[in-house]
Amino acid sequence: TSYTYSYAVENNWYRMYRAISSANDGLNALADGMQVGDGGADNKRMETFAKLIQGMAHGLLACFYDQAFIYDETVDLATDVLELKPYSEVMAAAISQLEAAAADSVRCGPDRQHITVKRRGQVSTGIFRQGEEVIVLGATRAPYAETG
């Protein structure tokens, strides 16, 4: 039997867990006292970004596969045994991580404000920083949107 196209299934799996593992490493480094920026000024931003990556990767795993592992910074791979969970539980974990990222992002700094933007019939909520940077945290279909 040949598995010529196995990469089509395996690549997404490995890439999502690589992203989750990197996010977990960053969160654990913060928990161990690592400082990002002057005196830890950017610690919250890094934590928020890591939660965003965890949520996006778990969400994609839930979309691609019927089962996946829920793996966050609290899991110790040296002692814990991960069990496959149904996609509905993986998606619930993803949504929880994305909500944590969204809640934290509003508190990232005094020069940020929450906005809603319209693009091709899609309403995206995000965080706007002075200048051109927009971090999009979610999207839904809607006929219009107002900035607020």
Side-chain angles (χ1 to χ4, degrees):
T1 304
S2 175
Y3 296 103
T4 305
Y5 300 104
S6 64
Y7 68 88
V9 174
E10 291 175 353
N11 282 353
N12 289 327
W13 181 270
Y14 293 125
R15 287 177 180 163
M16 292 307 105
Y17 281 111
R18 187 179 313 145
I20 292 168
S21 183
S22 294
N24 292 347
D25 289 346
L27 289 169
N28 286 325
L30 284 175
D32 290 341
M34 184 179 82
Q35 299 289 310
V36 181
D38 293 334
D42 292 325
N43 282 14
K44 193 58 157 174
R45 184 176 185 179
M46 182 176 159
E47 180 183 346
T48 300
F49 184 73
K51 285 291 183 187
L52 176 68
I53 296 301
Q54 285 177 330
M56 290 173 56
H58 279 103
L60 288 170
L61 287 165
C63 288
F64 292 149
Y65 305 100
D66 67 335
Q67 296 180 32
F69 299 110
I70 298 172
Y71 173 43
D72 64 16
E73 73 279 7
T74 64
V75 174
D76 181 359
L77 293 177
T79 58
D80 295 337
V81 176
L82 293 175
E83 295 182 19
L84 289 170
K85 301 290 183 183
Y87 72 91
S88 57
E89 288 182 37
V90 178
M91 185 58 79
I95 291 168
S96 176
Q97 291 162 336
L98 290 171
E99 287 174 343
D104 286 345
S105 65
V106 176
R107 296 188 299 262
C108 275
D111 59 343
R112 290 177 182 262
Q113 57 179 316
H114 194 280
I115 63 164
T116 303
V117 295
K118 179 184 176 193
R119 225 177 352 184
R120 292 190 194 133
Q122 225 180 21
V123 176
S124 299
T125 61
I127 305 306
F128 175 79
R129 183 174 178 118
Q130 291 175 343
E132 307 247 345
E133 177 186 13
V134 176
I135 304 169
V136 177
L137 297 177
T140 56
R141 290 272 179 211
Y144 65 88
E146 294 182 17
T147 301

